[in-house]
Amino acid sequence: MMFDQGPHTVLRGGGVCVVLKTPADDMPQVEYWGRDIVGPTGDCGCAIGNDTCAGCATAGSSACPLNESVLAALDAMTLKDTPPNKPDAAWRPSLLPQGAEGWAGRAGLECARGGRPVYARWTHVETTAGPSSLAVAAEDAVNGLKLDATLRITASGLVVARHTITNTASPTGDSAAGPASTQLAANTGEPLTVSWLDATLPMPKRADTLTQFTGRWPLEKQPATGPLPVGSITRDCRRGKTGHDSPWMFIASIGAPRNQTGDIWACHLAWSGNQTYRIDNLPAHEPVIGAGELLGPGEIRLNPGDSYTTPEVCFSYSDRGLDGIADRFHGWLRSLPGHVDFAAKPRPFTLNTWEAVYFNHDEATLKRLADHAAQVGVERFVLDDGWFHERRDDTRGLGDWVVDPAVWSNGLDGLATHVHDLGMEFGLWFEPEMVNLDSDLAREHPDWILAAPEAVPGRADLSYRTQNVLDLANPDAYAHVRDQMAALVEQLGVNYIKWDHNREVTEPMHDGRFGLHEQTEACYRLFDELKARFPGLEIESCSSGGARTDAGILQHADRIWASDSNDPRDRVDIQRWTELIVPPEMIGAHVGPSPAHSTARATDLSYRAAISLTGCSGFEWNILECTDEQIAVLRSFVALYKELRGLLHTGRVMHADCKDQALRARGVVNADRTHAVWVIATTDNIRDWLAERLQVTGLDPTRSYRVRMRREIGESHWGWVTPQWLTAAQDDDGNGGFTAPGRFLSEVGLQLPNLWPMQAIVLEFTAI
């Protein structure tokens, strides 16, 4: 066995390429991950003298396959030493870097058996490759381990990795081949305890900057950019869910990342439990980026024959800045089976009742609210918290998913029927993973709480929202929640569930063991079981706002709630960073009242509407209190949303690299580049009296476009002068507008008006 031997495997997809060395009986080593270096015939870059490679010369070949003779040059270009020399540090990082390979960073796998560390020694490795996927089956006959690893590139160019580790040691302690002392350590029949199992990929040394995220309620997805740290570092999230302050992504770049240009290597863990993100930036190795599930003490104990499968880890490379990273995630999530399909059902305009009535439920008032909602064009009416047993505030009732007769003397049937008769869908709020101690459920089944018995009740001086976590890994607790939810969905014809998760999971004890992994999988299973039982049912993932918005929950949910802040000044950035991963049609983005309930900041309706238009729009507002003038604007805004959502929820998202830090400019363009919509907004005073120009990227340079300012959002405000093009673009006549070549729009740009602070305009571009 010798490092960097054996044939190459080249994986391709979506403009991305991964090149690996696959030596016999050794873990594959990643040689290259980045822009596709496999070009079309005659343009592959592998010409030697006057001869092109054999692959290009193959009849009918549409692309150079980078055969072994060509890839030998890649070996020579990238190896740090000359074989057969024996350096002390690893030649290259493998798919699962280990100390046995001369890797000095954090190992990809850490495990133990009987209190003794187990260091993997792969005695047999097989690889099976396709054009865009690699499967690795590795066995360690000495230590009783088996690893199954997969690496695949999606059609959008996202690289997705997943590992499965199996304890293959004999339960009886029978010996296997190898030195007796080693056999004894490996085959005592003790369970294999897995501390972590990460997925990683290498990056070039030129990556020097790291962007990660933090945040709080209700100010999620706050980027933090700085120098790429040196050494082996990790960043953990121990919230029991993704968390408001989750690292969410690690983004490595050359200098600060830009929206539309530059090389970026990013990593995201598709998991809704605890997480670890990692960087190994060591002197003797290429930097390595990766992630894995943060496991609790003794959480994964594998008896002989048992396996543990990691969550998926997503790696996104882009040579088109942050927007290219987002393209890969959006393309992948939009392609998943069961994902919201715009062609089958456009995303409904939603009214959620939380900021309209809070806990003050009254059937007559809510029916009047539904009447007004239908009149302005709302398509989905969602009853939020406060409808179930004794739920007059947030201290009681969680876990008792039955309608409270003290408030709803006739049940919810009347409201649900009224909403349906108005032509709207009916939605209902649940918090299925939680329980209040002041509930029938907790009184009858205190053993169903996910905690050590001595932790319930908790400290009297600590609230944790006066609620505990329900142990969904307990089959009886799971069935209780599922059956009560299903009964209401069936009885009321519920079309939509707003699924909340407010409390952090701090001490998850299931059957005497750390139980967060099982809890997270049970949550996913409950999503899937309800949706399978009720075809057409949609579920939104909310977690005190945006504390569970990862690509794990997105494979089960139809929508996420990005933040409990409906303040558009905060939302414009929260939604911008959320859509690095989440397609806009899956991001709930509602118009709330002014001043905002989360910040007390007052903003114009036009600003709130414009920012809402960048996601899956709706109202979080008691529109019964609106003036006739406001109702007229709401009606026109809802109509605009319905007119444009075919583009907004299927197109490619772009963000301009504005020089002025007070400016935000976001666009969506369709596949054939005939239609685009841009929202330009300010968050503060723009710096110069002469604002910058907006370069409208994504358009076809060979076509001309009609530009219209869509005024259905209400009146926007700027300084005393108006650019000439904008005067024409404000013409409300359907045949009006301003016309310009696509090349001018993208290369010269539109002179922006001097928008006042917290103002926005919506521009539509239509090819002519």
Side-chain angles (χ1 to χ4, degrees), residues 410-596:
N410 299 313
L412 291 177
D413 305 74
L415 178 64
T417 298
H418 187 73
V419 168
H420 286 139
D421 288 347
L422 289 168
M424 295 186 292
E425 294 183 355
F426 180 66
L428 197 58
W429 182 95
F430 291 88
E431 194 170 0
E433 296 149 277
M434 299 293 155
V435 59
N436 288 124
L437 294 186
D438 188 357
S439 67
D440 291 345
L441 176 65
R443 283 185 285 270
E444 294 170 10
H445 297 286
D447 54 313
W448 288 2
I449 293 175
L450 186 66
E454 62 272 16
V456 182
R459 293 175 49 145
D461 60 345
L462 186 65
S463 166
Y464 272 122
R465 297 182 60 98
T466 67
Q467 62 192 64
N468 287 84
V469 184
L470 190 66
D471 186 359
L472 290 185
N474 180 312
D476 294 330
Y478 179 95
H480 166 85
V481 174
R482 178 200 61 206
D483 293 347
Q484 285 197 333
M485 294 178 73
L488 285 164
V489 172
E490 186 168 26
Q491 175 187 337
L492 303 174
V494 172
N495 310 101
Y496 183 82
I497 290 173
K498 180 180 179 182
W499 183 311
D500 218 334
H501 182 292
N502 285 304
R503 189 199 194 275
E504 294 177 350
V505 190
T506 53
E507 297 176 333
M509 185 76 77
H510 167 74
D511 285 347
R513 294 174 54 196
F514 199 92
L516 187 61
H517 179 86
E518 291 180 81
Q519 178 77 1
T520 306
E521 290 193 324
C523 167
Y524 291 163
R525 190 167 64 252
L526 187 53
F527 266 75
D528 295 344
E529 190 171 347
L530 288 169
K531 291 177 67 176
R533 181 168 174 180
F534 301 102
L537 175 68
E538 295 187 15
I539 304 179
E540 173 185 273
S541 171
C542 174
S543 184
S544 293
R548 188 160 68 180
T549 56
D550 54 89
I553 201 70
L554 287 169
Q555 296 180 58
H556 308 274
D558 302 283
R559 190 179 194 248
I560 58 95
W561 187 232
S563 177
D564 279 347
S565 175
N566 286 310
D567 180 339
R569 165 59 189 88
D570 291 341
R571 270 281 185 156
V572 67
D573 289 333
I574 292 170
Q575 289 171 199
R576 184 270 170 275
W577 296 112
T578 299
E579 69 182 1
L580 266 181
I581 291 174
V582 190
E585 67 272 18
M586 296 185 75
I587 302 174
H590 291 184
V591 177
S594 180

Side-chain angles (χ1 to χ4, degrees), residues 699-712:
L699 303 180
D700 185 342
T702 67
R703 306 188 68 160
S704 289
Y705 290 82
R706 182 163 63 100
V707 187
R708 292 177 63 202
M709 177 179 164
R710 301 305 301 259
R711 304 176 70 178
E712 292 91 337

